[in-house]
Amino acid sequence: MPRVAIENLKLIEINDLINLIGKDLEGIRYAMADSSYSKQLSAVSSNVVDYRFLEVALLQNYAETIQKLIEFSSGNIKKLLVALSKKVEVANIKTILRAAKAQIDVEEALKNIVPMGDLDVDKCKAVLAEAKSVEEVIVALHDFEYGEVLKAVEEPEGKIDLTLLEVALDKAVYREILGNIEKLTGIDEKIAKAVLGIELDVANVKTILKGKELAVNPEIIKEYLMPPAFFTEDVLEEAMETTDVKSMMESLALIVESAHMVYKKIFTQLLKESDSPLSLLEAILEKAPLEMSLCQLRENSRYYNIGFILAFLNLKWAEVKNLRCIIKGSESKIPPSQVQKLLMIPDDWHPSQLIYKSS
Amino acid sequence: MYMADEKLDVHPTRLELLRLKKRKALAEGIADILQKDLETLIVALIEHAQRVHATRTSLIESLTAAYSLFIESEMLSGTMKVSEIALSVEPLGFDVEVNTTTGVLGIDFPAFQLAKKEADATKPRFNISDTPIQLEESAWKSAESLKFIISLAELTAIIREMLELIALKRRQINRIRFKIIPQIDVTIRYVELILEEIERQDAIRVRVLQRKRKERAVK
């Protein structure tokens, strides 16, 4: 990858990120003027700096970063990145479905869409204008890649459940990503499986925890699970059958004995905090893909490989989420200490050093 | 002369005087009972006002928690996504049932009850694989706030009713104490005056008759 391109893919230093907490929106925009977000932020009107514009700018930056990585990659890595970019596309389809369900105005719904891949603004606008219900959106997307996925979601009484459509889309994207990982070989395959695997495991454990908290029937929880990774279907079923969070964590902690050290670290932490509120457990789980990404960066950052890209994308997504959190906190006048608690920061994160080293 | 001092239209007889005195005793008794009712109502009103304060505090706490969790969910998942989810989720169906309940002094007061339409318990309301728990918790807190709102509305209705009753009792007591009893008093004084006058005239008549009888006896 050209060095110029790498320079554009810089991450914000954690100290700089923390320094943004407590600043007003204008101050945050000014402080980020020299960051990789400058292009998207300069498009924001200087008169009206509001949270919404900034959130859109952050998401656009993330989408453009993926596009750049796709541009500079080739072969199976490119295919995998294209599959990963479909997460953004699927987010757009979800927005369209929700907009149709909530009868949101076309122009208003378009503001929430970050154009990506085949689903550009014109296509989204056409679908939103044409379809007045979820069923009509499914029909309007019939020739689109995920049209079949949506059509396959059947409901016994003919009533379509929006959440199941969303889950079906996520599952389809993850299946495609996993399919592309299978095409990789050697160290690339190993790294990709580790980074994407922990993401899926975290998603599934979070779903089970939430399902248990809401006393949802295990059979229903199963419908919301993503394709299994390190935790097989049997392991997940066993976790669903446990009586409480502690026993669930105990059983999972035993299983991760043979797993990567990041799993051990995370599940030891989860076991220790098993009596804590679910929000804290979710926060610990969400750190897992980041920890794995950093681990892969440390172990395999000598050359441009899939580990580097996937780790970078995870770190970038965490950065976007952290910035969004800081901006929303600033807009809602949330105390800085509370904002900092919600940030996703691994204990030993020094992004720029690692990126420079690898480039 | 005040209206309260107007006497009643009665025959100035001893029997009427006795009746008036009985009426006065009865009026005073009624005024005492009404005064006790009034005091009971005021005590109940104070209790309800304290409950309003406690319920309002709980409502504020619940709404603050719901709002704070909602903001947290926006901080974690973004305003755009949270607003989309909030707008597209199945709304909670609820109604308020209005009944009556027997309260202080056996009086019927309004009773409000939250009637939730049964949601599909088999399925989670939000997508459990893609929604932050804070949004779910915020929804719970908002639903909990509804109970406090209904309770507060019920207390407000009861207090309004109590205030009307207190005003009514006060009017009744005032009417008895400052109109009926003074009227009876004036009438009693009038009847007594008339009766005294009759007695005096009778006494004079008796004396005149006695004097005439004596004169006739002397002749």
Side-chain angles (χ1 to χ4, degrees):
Chain A
M1 182 182 277
R3 192 175 174 89
V4 179
I6 294 281
E7 284 299 309
N8 285 332
L9 302 179
K10 273 196 296 190
L11 294 168
I12 297 174
E13 281 279 357
I14 198 69
N15 287 339
D16 294 340
L17 196 76
I18 287 169
N19 283 340
L20 294 177
I21 301 173
K23 285 188 176 163
D24 61 14
L25 295 185
E26 189 57 57
I28 292 171
R29 191 173 81 144
Y30 183 74
M32 286 169 66
D34 292 333
S35 69
S36 57
Y37 300 89
S38 57
K39 183 189 151 199
Q40 290 79 18
L41 288 175
S42 60
V44 176
S45 161
S46 55
N47 300 329
V48 194
V49 184
D50 78 354
Y51 166 80
R52 197 177 173 129
F53 284 118
L54 294 176
E55 187 182 2
V56 170
L58 295 177
L59 295 175
Q60 268 172 358
N61 178 280
Y62 180 68
E64 284 172 26
T65 304
I66 299 178
Q67 290 284 26
K68 254 181 221 164
L69 286 170
I70 292 171
E71 217 174 287
F72 293 120
S73 305
S74 59
N76 285 335
I77 292 182
K78 186 170 190 150
K79 282 181 192 162
L80 178 58
L81 285 173
V82 170
L84 279 170
S85 74
K86 285 179 181 165
K87 278 188 187 177
V88 182
E89 276 185 62
V90 155
N92 287 338
I93 299 175
K94 286 184 191 173
T95 298
I96 294 173
L97 287 167
R98 289 176 192 144
K101 176 90 189 281
Q103 304 286 306
I104 300 172
D105 175 67
V106 176
E107 292 303 319
E108 193 61 28
L110 277 175
K111 285 180 192 166
N112 293 358
I113 283 171
V114 181
M116 185 82 172
D118 296 337
L119 210 60
D120 56 20
V121 176
D122 292 337
K123 173 81 181 167
C124 292
K125 200 172 182 175
V127 174
L128 281 164
E130 191 184 317
K132 299 288 170 223
S133 65
V134 173
E135 289 80 1
E136 285 179 25
V137 171
I138 296 171
V139 173
L141 290 170
H142 75 281
D143 58 341
F144 189 69
E145 197 180 346
Y146 296 103
E148 287 303 316
V149 175
L150 293 172
K151 230 189 264 180
V153 180
E154 282 178 18
E155 282 290 299
E157 289 156 19
K159 197 182 164 195
I160 295 171
D161 185 340
L162 191 59
T163 62
L164 291 181
L165 289 176
E166 291 175 13
V167 172
L169 288 169
D170 288 334
K171 279 183 188 171
V173 171
Y174 276 120
R175 270 193 216 107
E176 196 175 338
I177 294 170
L178 288 171
N180 279 289
I181 289 175
E182 292 298 326
K183 288 178 197 159
L184 298 172
T185 52
I187 188 87
D188 278 348
E189 187 191 2
K190 195 183 152 203
I191 297 167
K193 274 189 174 167
V195 175
L196 264 307
I198 202 162
E199 189 179 321
L200 288 167
D201 285 327
V202 160
N204 286 338
V205 172
K206 267 168 64 182
T207 303
I208 295 172
L209 279 173
K210 212 179 290 170
K212 285 174 93 70
E213 174 92 1
L214 301 171
V216 179
N217 186 316
E219 287 304 311
I220 304 280
I221 299 177
K222 267 189 215 168
E223 292 177 26
Y224 289 85
L225 294 180
M226 294 294 120
F230 178 75
F231 294 137
T232 59
E233 272 177 32
D234 291 341
V235 170
L236 296 173
E237 264 182 51
E238 205 178 299
M240 276 187 266
E241 299 302 328
T242 52
T243 48
D244 54 29
V245 174
K246 191 167 186 172
S247 48
M248 177 181 160
M249 289 308 162
E250 276 169 354
S251 81
L252 292 178
L254 278 177
I255 289 158
V256 297
E257 282 294 316
S258 59
H260 192 279
M261 61 172 192
V262 174
Y263 277 91
K264 282 183 221 166
K265 184 184 165 190
I266 294 293
F267 280 89
T268 310
Q269 225 175 325
L270 285 170
L271 187 58
K272 214 185 282 176
E273 300 286 349
S274 53
D275 294 329
S276 306
L278 189 51
S279 54
L280 181 72
L281 301 183
E282 279 197 352
I284 295 170
L285 278 166
E286 280 186 4
K287 274 187 189 177
L290 275 189
E291 297 281 356
M292 182 62 89
S293 302
L294 285 167
C295 198
Q296 295 301 328
L297 270 180
R298 278 186 217 110
E299 289 171 6
N300 307 291
S301 59
R302 290 177 197 284
Y303 64 100
Y304 180 67
N305 62 16
I306 193 66
F308 170 81
I309 302 168
L310 293 180
F312 172 78
L313 280 178
N314 272 345
L315 292 170
K316 181 78 182 175
W317 181 236
E319 184 180 277
V320 167
K321 285 181 86 174
N322 285 339
L323 284 168
R324 194 165 62 181
C325 183
I326 292 169
I327 294 166
K328 185 69 202 171
S330 164
E331 191 207 33
S332 306
K333 309 268 185 286
I334 304 294
S337 58
Q338 204 182 327
V339 175
Q340 201 165 336
K341 266 187 212 164
L342 294 173
L343 295 185
M344 211 169 21
I345 304 169
D347 303 333
D348 51 353
W349 189 24
H350 303 291
S352 59
Q353 288 169 14
L354 288 161
I355 298 296
Y356 288 137
K357 186 184 162 193
S358 61
S359 63
Chain B
M1 182 183 267
Y2 294 107
M3 223 175 81
D5 295 340
E6 281 174 10
K7 68 173 179 58
L8 298 167
D9 190 16
V10 289
H11 295 293
T13 59
R14 286 204 178 275
L15 188 66
E16 205 62 58
L17 183 67
L18 278 173
R19 269 192 200 145
L20 281 169
K21 283 185 176 169
K22 272 186 193 166
R23 269 181 79 182
K24 187 188 172 186
L26 185 67
E28 280 171 346
I30 290 171
D32 284 347
I33 291 167
L34 286 172
Q35 182 63 39
K36 274 176 193 156
D37 285 359
L38 181 70
E39 282 161 13
T40 311
L41 276 171
I42 289 169
V43 169
L45 180 76
I46 292 165
E47 279 170 9
H48 277 77
Q50 282 166 349
R51 277 177 61 199
V52 165
H53 182 73
T55 312
R56 192 176 289 149
T57 308
S58 304
L59 174 64
I60 290 168
E61 276 170 11
S62 176
L63 282 175
T64 308
Y67 179 71
S68 156
L69 284 162
F70 187 78
I71 294 287
E72 253 183 48
S73 70
E74 284 189 318
M75 286 166 82
L76 292 170
S77 294
T79 299
M80 295 189 327
K81 187 173 170 182
V82 170
S83 66
E84 279 171 21
I85 294 171
L87 287 169
S88 59
V89 75
E90 284 297 329
L92 275 181
F94 73 93
D95 209 347
V96 182
E97 278 176 9
V98 183
N99 297 309
T100 52
T101 178
T102 308
V104 64
L105 303 175
I107 301 162
D108 280 348
F109 288 114
F112 298 168
Q113 211 167 8
L114 182 68
K116 270 189 194 165
K117 283 173 192 158
E118 280 305 309
D120 186 357
T122 58
K123 282 184 178 172
R125 202 163 158 238
F126 298 100
N127 177 355
I128 51 170
S129 68
D130 193 26
T131 312
I133 189 67
Q134 284 85 347
L135 188 64
E136 196 88 45
E137 286 171 346
S138 174
W140 294 338
K141 285 280 172 193
S142 303
E144 185 190 76
S145 302
L146 273 179
K147 286 183 203 158
F148 293 124
I149 291 169
I150 302 290
S151 173
L152 207 55
E154 183 188 276
L155 285 169
T156 310
I158 291 174
I159 285 176
R160 190 175 291 172
E161 200 118 318
M162 277 184 174
L163 286 171
E164 274 173 23
L165 276 171
I166 286 170
L168 179 74
K169 298 270 177 202
R170 270 218 176 103
R171 277 201 304 275
Q172 287 172 337
I173 293 166
N174 288 344
R175 190 175 155 75
I176 293 170
R177 287 206 175 133
F178 302 109
K179 187 171 181 204
I180 295 173
I181 293 176
Q183 262 184 341
I184 295 172
D185 281 341
V186 168
T187 314
I188 286 172
R189 274 199 299 276
Y190 165 75
V191 173
E192 279 172 347
L193 206 71
I194 296 291
L195 288 176
E196 278 170 19
E197 187 59 32
I198 291 168
E199 265 177 36
R200 262 197 305 277
Q201 282 175 3
D202 284 351
I204 291 166
R205 209 172 289 133
V206 168
R207 276 200 296 274
V208 169
L209 282 173
Q210 280 175 343
R211 186 167 39 91
K212 279 182 181 174
R213 215 177 281 155
K214 274 182 191 170
E215 281 172 3
R216 244 184 272 138
V218 172
K219 278 179 192 174

